[in-house]
Amino acid sequence: MNEIMATKPVVVGVDGSDDSKAALKWAVEYGQRYEAPVEALAVWDIPTSYGYLAAYAESGEKIEARARELLEETVAEAVGADSNVIRRTERGHPSSTLVEASKDAQLLVLGTRGHGAFAGMLLGSVSQHCVAHSKSPFVVVPSEKEDRKKRK
């Protein structure tokens, strides 16, 4: 494999969902096979609110702290807390932040659906956006539940 390619990370979008855990497992196996660093990226933002005196009760620091905690839990559950996965949180909209991260990635890896998906959708909105706009090659890892159903 090209030496430059191997130094670029495999970026994985992580939101704590089972599909993002499956994507992280896949990315770690890929990273081990091709000696590539793996970066788990959890994206957070302060929810937009509208109306008279509308305000969100939590500060950005608290939301970011929860995102970091979720990221740590997800990595620990999916691939082990002692894994060499680089962990990063970033504020922004998940779709655009992941596309931006893909500019410096050798591969963008996403689960089929995240927490916000409508039941029955093949791809979630973030996955669909990233597939259409990624600046690097990408992989959408199927849900482990769907994969088990197909094997039966």
Side-chain angles (χ1 to χ4, degrees), residues 28-40:
V28 166
E29 289 174 13
Y30 177 93
Q32 290 170 342
R33 184 174 299 126
Y34 295 104
E35 298 178 5
V38 176
E39 178 180 283

Side-chain angles (χ1 to χ4, degrees), residues 1 3 23 25 34 44 46 50 52-53 57 60-61 76 85 101 140 146:
M1 177 167 250
E3 191 174 314
K25 288 176 191 176
Y34 295 104
W44 64 275
I46 298 172
Y50 300 97
Y52 185 71
L53 295 177
E61 292 83 19
V85 172
V140 178
E146 291 297 320

Side-chain angles (χ1 to χ4, degrees), residues 136-152:
S136 68
F138 57 86
V139 172
V140 178
V141 177
S143 166
E144 289 180 339
K145 290 176 189 174
E146 291 297 320
D147 202 31
R148 281 193 295 268
K149 283 181 189 176
K150 288 178 183 175
R151 282 190 249 145
K152 287 184 177 183

Side-chain angles (χ1 to χ4, degrees), residues 7-145:
T7 60
K8 288 181 160 189
V10 174
V11 175
V12 186
V14 174
D15 66 1
S17 67
D18 289 341
D19 286 7
S20 74
K21 291 173 189 172
L24 183 57
K25 288 176 191 176
W26 188 94
V28 166
E29 289 174 13
Y30 177 93
Q32 290 170 342
R33 184 174 299 126
Y34 295 104
E35 298 178 5
V38 176
E39 178 180 283
L41 175 57
V43 182
W44 64 275
D45 205 357
I46 298 172
T48 304
S49 57
Y50 300 97
Y52 185 71
L53 295 177
Y56 193 69
E58 285 189 303
S59 68
E61 292 83 19
K62 285 184 180 179
I63 297 170
E64 183 176 16
R66 282 194 300 120
R68 276 197 202 113
E69 184 179 312
L70 174 83
L71 178 60
E72 290 298 327
E73 290 171 2
T74 302
V75 170
E77 188 176 323
V79 295
D82 60 345
S83 68
N84 290 328
V85 172
I86 301 161
R87 297 152 175 95
R88 182 167 68 102
T89 60
E90 192 167 320
R91 181 179 179 178
H93 188 275
S95 299
S96 56
T97 303
L98 288 165
V99 167
E100 186 65 28
S102 74
K103 290 179 181 178
D104 297 320
Q106 68 170 279
L107 187 65
L108 178 62
V109 182
L110 302 167
T112 331
R113 295 179 295 272
H115 279 303
F118 291 101
M121 285 182 66
L122 178 61
L123 291 177
S125 60
V126 172
S127 296
Q128 286 180 339
H129 181 86
C130 291
V131 164
H133 301 284
S134 181
K135 305 302 180 203
S136 68
F138 57 86
V139 172
V140 178
V141 177
S143 166
E144 289 180 339
K145 290 176 189 174

